[in-house]
Amino acid sequence: MKQALAIPAALAAALWLTPALAQSPSHDGHGMSGMDMPGMKDSPAAEPSDAKPDAMQGMDHSGHTMTMDASPMHAMPMKSDGAIPQSPPPPAAQSGPAHAADAFYPDGEMAHAREMVTHEMGGLKTTVVMVDRLEAQTGKGGGSWAWEGALRTGGDIDRLWIKTEGEGELDGGIDDSEVQALWGHAIGPWFDLQAGVRQQFMPGPDRTQLSVGVEGLAPYMFDISAEAFVSTQGEFTAKIGAEIDQRLTQRLILQPRVEANLSAQDVPEIGLGAGVTSLQTGVRLRYEFRREFAPYVGVEWQKQFGRTADYTRADGGNADRVVALVGLRAWF
């Protein structure tokens, strides 16, 4: 009977003591007194914060001897600016061949492939024959015909040019014509410097001239050419031309064109006066059945000035006329 009364008394004492222990701020009752945590006392993280002195007051950290491990993981550099740490490539990245394809194809095939790429991308030789104008003209003073074409052969930097142009009467022979043999050298991505010899065939005495000029593609896709000529007689003449292709559809192209000729002196024997001798400006509309084959129609104003016009009229020609034309543009 005495033992039965002792058990309820002990249970009541335990229920009374438990809340009291739970509300105690002291860590003495946590049973951590026997845990050895060296270094916790010296760690900066274990020191009370100055910002909240009251919240830490009364807490006994004497037994919290937590240690900050100084292992390599904790020694990782941390940059305060947020930059990603940089490191060199692994040594295995430098152990393979200079070109990955060398590991899969024989040396002979790779050498041939490199030769072909070099040839096609840097030293490719091309030859093009261009018939820029082959046309019949009709207007005041009768019908006529004209041509202008070139052969170009060579690479991207140096080329040989053979140019020819001329005109004549539909019911007669050739009035005048010319042939040029030029060496062209690229002076930039868009322009060539050209120099060579020009031979003119005219009703009067023929002329052999030294030719120097530039030809290329100007901003806004204008094809520009400018040439200067010095004949064996000491005569100085020049020619300037420009044209542009305005693509109306994928096959229909409108081409405005202008060309002017100049002379530094009067040359009566070949019908030239000083100054601007002639101007030709017009527009051609062509249809490209293929890029290499395109017939066209158009209209052009042909005008001569000054003494050049006087020489033409004295010879029975027309120095100012508008002509309708039909022609063909082709290349291969």
Side-chain angles (χ1 to χ4, degrees), residues 48-166:
S49 171
D50 295 335
K52 297 180 179 180
D54 295 340
M56 304 296 290
Q57 189 174 8
M59 296 182 65
D60 183 6
H61 295 272
S62 59
H64 293 178
T65 54
M66 297 179 63
T67 303
M68 297 298 292
D69 191 359
S71 63
M73 181 182 70
H74 292 139
M76 292 177 64
M78 299 296 291
K79 294 184 177 180
S80 59
D81 57 359
I84 299 176
Q86 301 293 325
S87 60
Q94 309 294 335
S95 61
H99 303 282
D102 291 340
F104 301 96
Y105 296 96
D107 294 342
E109 292 186 11
M110 290 303 301
H112 177 68
R114 291 191 177 96
E115 182 181 356
M116 293 300 296
V117 170
T118 302
H119 173 72
E120 294 179 359
M121 303 300 293
L124 181 64
K125 302 293 189 298
T126 59
T127 299
V128 177
V129 177
M130 170 68 75
V131 180
D132 197 49
R133 294 189 298 136
L134 179 59
E135 61 192 28
Q137 305 172 351
T138 181
K140 185 179 178 181
S144 60
W145 66 291
W147 78 89
E148 180 178 351
L151 180 148
R152 183 198 70 197
T153 182
D156 295 335
I157 305 300
D158 294 293
R159 305 168 181 169
L160 173 65
W161 290 82
I162 305 295
K163 297 182 179 181
T164 179
E165 64 177 86

Side-chain angles (χ1 to χ4, degrees), residues 137-205:
Q137 305 172 351
T138 181
K140 185 179 178 181
S144 60
W145 66 291
W147 78 89
E148 180 178 351
L151 180 148
R152 183 198 70 197
T153 182
D156 295 335
I157 305 300
D158 294 293
R159 305 168 181 169
L160 173 65
W161 290 82
I162 305 295
K163 297 182 179 181
T164 179
E165 64 177 86
E167 60 184 11
E169 303 297 329
L170 285 178
D171 55 355
I174 297 175
D175 290 339
D176 60 74
S177 63
E178 67 176 54
V179 177
Q180 294 190 65
L182 306 170
W183 167 76
H185 180 76
I187 56 175
W190 310 108
F191 276 89
D192 281 359
L193 173 67
Q194 299 175 351
V197 179
R198 180 200 200 195
Q199 180 66 45
Q200 285 186 300
F201 305 96
M202 296 177 289

Side-chain angles (χ1 to χ4, degrees), residues 103-313:
F104 301 96
Y105 296 96
D107 294 342
E109 292 186 11
M110 290 303 301
H112 177 68
R114 291 191 177 96
E115 182 181 356
M116 293 300 296
V117 170
T118 302
H119 173 72
E120 294 179 359
M121 303 300 293
L124 181 64
K125 302 293 189 298
T126 59
T127 299
V128 177
V129 177
M130 170 68 75
V131 180
D132 197 49
R133 294 189 298 136
L134 179 59
E135 61 192 28
Q137 305 172 351
T138 181
K140 185 179 178 181
S144 60
W145 66 291
W147 78 89
E148 180 178 351
L151 180 148
R152 183 198 70 197
T153 182
D156 295 335
I157 305 300
D158 294 293
R159 305 168 181 169
L160 173 65
W161 290 82
I162 305 295
K163 297 182 179 181
T164 179
E165 64 177 86
E167 60 184 11
E169 303 297 329
L170 285 178
D171 55 355
I174 297 175
D175 290 339
D176 60 74
S177 63
E178 67 176 54
V179 177
Q180 294 190 65
L182 306 170
W183 167 76
H185 180 76
I187 56 175
W190 310 108
F191 276 89
D192 281 359
L193 173 67
Q194 299 175 351
V197 179
R198 180 200 200 195
Q199 180 66 45
Q200 285 186 300
F201 305 96
M202 296 177 289
D206 297 339
R207 286 290 188 272
T208 302
Q209 301 165 321
L210 175 66
S211 172
V212 179
V214 294
E215 179 175 346
L217 194 63
Y220 301 99
M221 306 300 289
F222 282 93
D223 284 314
I224 303 291
S225 63
E227 299 170 277
F229 310 100
V230 179
S231 74
T232 54
Q233 307 299 320
E235 302 146 352
F236 181 81
T237 55
K239 180 169 63 176
I240 302 172
E243 62 184 35
I244 183 172
D245 284 351
Q246 297 287 338
R247 190 171 292 275
L248 304 180
T249 69
Q250 291 295 323
R251 295 180 181 272
L252 195 62
I253 293 100
L254 186 69
Q255 184 191 61
R257 178 177 180 273
V258 62
E259 179 181 304
N261 290 275
L262 306 94
S263 176
Q265 62 285 304
D266 286 334
V267 190
E269 58 268 31
I270 57 175
L272 288 181
V276 178
T277 59
S278 65
L279 175 69
Q280 299 175 3
T281 181
V283 61
R284 291 166 173 78
L285 181 66
R286 72 174 185 268
Y287 186 84
E288 292 184 342
F289 288 97
R290 296 174 59 88
R291 292 292 306 276
E292 301 88 350
F293 182 83
Y296 62 83
V297 296
V299 60
E300 188 173 75
W301 177 45
Q302 301 172 350
K303 173 70 174 176
Q304 294 180 344
F305 304 93
R307 289 185 177 273
T308 303
D310 297 336
Y311 295 140
T312 299
R313 285 191 287 266

